[in-house]
């Protein structure tokens, strides 16, 4: 692992432990050349994914870019970082287990929309406004109408049956 401070390729692992969700390993590293300390995370990658953009351009899937875009939508919203991490992990798992090596960007966008809708309505609308390229206030009215309709459908649905046996 290259040292982010001096660029040395000879870094040493001082401590390794699983993260709270056991989806990755956290490693504390030290550079013997400059003494710099830093943390890395190691995750399982089932396959190399390629995202096919609307323009037809292909680019390697970037988990960090996905997480950043979700965090931007959730900025200043009361959502715990652990829930964001679980959402990102879930999306990545869905993409990797789809069996496809090339994934349309629209698939990624729809998965993010679905996840944000269950996390936070404001973040969902923020993301939708960029993802669906809203141009007028009417676009916001439409998506808010959909959210309200979904809320009403959920409110009128009977609660799930309990099995207390």
């Amino acid at each position: 692992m290259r040292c982010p401070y001096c660029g040395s390729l000879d870094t040493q692992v001082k401590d390794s432990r699983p993260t709270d969700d056991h989806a990755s390993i956290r490693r504390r590293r030290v550079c013997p050349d400059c003494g710099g300390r830093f943390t890395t995370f190691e995750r399982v990658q089932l396959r190399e994914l390629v995202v096919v953009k609307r323009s037809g351009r292909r680019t390697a899937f970037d988990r960090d870019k996905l997480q950043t875009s979700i965090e931007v939508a959730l900025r200043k919203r009361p959502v715990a970082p652990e829930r964001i991490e679980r959402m990102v992990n879930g999306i990545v798992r869905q993409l990797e287990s789809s069996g496809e090596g090339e994934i349309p960007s629209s698939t990624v966008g729809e998965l993010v929309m679905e996840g944000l809708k269950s996390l936070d309505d404001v973040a969902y609308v923020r993301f939708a406004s960029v993802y669906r390229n809203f141009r007028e206030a009417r676009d916001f009215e439409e998506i808010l109408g959909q959210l309200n309709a979904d809320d009403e459908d959920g409110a009128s649905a009977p609660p799930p049956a309990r099995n207390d046996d």
Side-chain angles (χ1 to χ4, degrees):
M1 177 63 62
R2 183 180 301 269
C3 174
Y5 305 111
C6 72
S8 172
L9 290 174
D10 183 34
T11 59
Q12 299 170 344
V13 175
K14 289 298 180 188
D15 180 46
S16 291
R17 64 182 68 175
T19 56
D20 292 337
D21 64 357
H22 297 283
S24 59
I25 296 177
R26 176 185 183 272
R27 299 194 193 279
R28 284 294 295 156
R29 296 178 178 268
V30 65
C31 176
D33 294 341
C34 71
R37 292 178 178 268
F38 58 100
T39 302
T40 60
F41 291 89
E42 183 179 311
R43 291 182 181 83
V44 172
Q45 184 174 349
L46 298 176
R47 61 178 46 217
E48 291 289 326
L49 297 173
V50 174
V51 176
V52 181
K53 305 283 187 174
R54 290 179 185 153
S55 66
R57 202 176 91 236
R58 288 166 167 66
T59 181
F61 175 76
D62 185 351
R63 183 187 192 288
D64 293 333
K65 183 177 176 184
L66 172 68
Q67 183 157 355
T68 300
S69 67
I70 292 169
E71 288 171 349
V72 166
L74 286 162
R75 188 168 289 145
K76 295 186 179 182
R77 299 298 303 155
V79 177
E82 297 81 29
R83 293 185 69 198
I84 298 170
E85 183 68 23
R86 274 196 305 270
M87 180 184 156
V88 171
N89 288 340
I91 291 171
V92 171
R93 259 186 258 114
Q94 281 182 280
L95 295 173
E96 289 177 339
S97 63
S98 72
E100 299 295 323
E102 291 188 350
I103 292 143
S105 60
S106 59
T107 301
V108 178
E110 291 303 321
L111 288 172
V112 171
M113 294 271 291
E114 186 179 304
L116 285 174
K117 191 173 190 177
S118 66
L119 274 184
D120 186 86
D121 287 346
V122 172
Y124 171 75
V125 172
R126 284 179 181 169
F127 187 85
S129 71
V130 175
Y131 175 65
R132 293 191 177 152
N133 199 19
F134 287 5
R135 297 194 184 281
E136 300 174 357
R138 186 173 3 136
D139 298 332
F140 286 95
E141 290 171 358
E142 287 175 17
I143 200 156
L144 291 173
Q146 289 172 2
L147 271 176
N148 288 335
D150 289 347
D151 287 346
E152 289 171 7
D153 290 346
S156 64
R162 291 183 48 174
N163 186 0
D164 292 332
D165 295 333

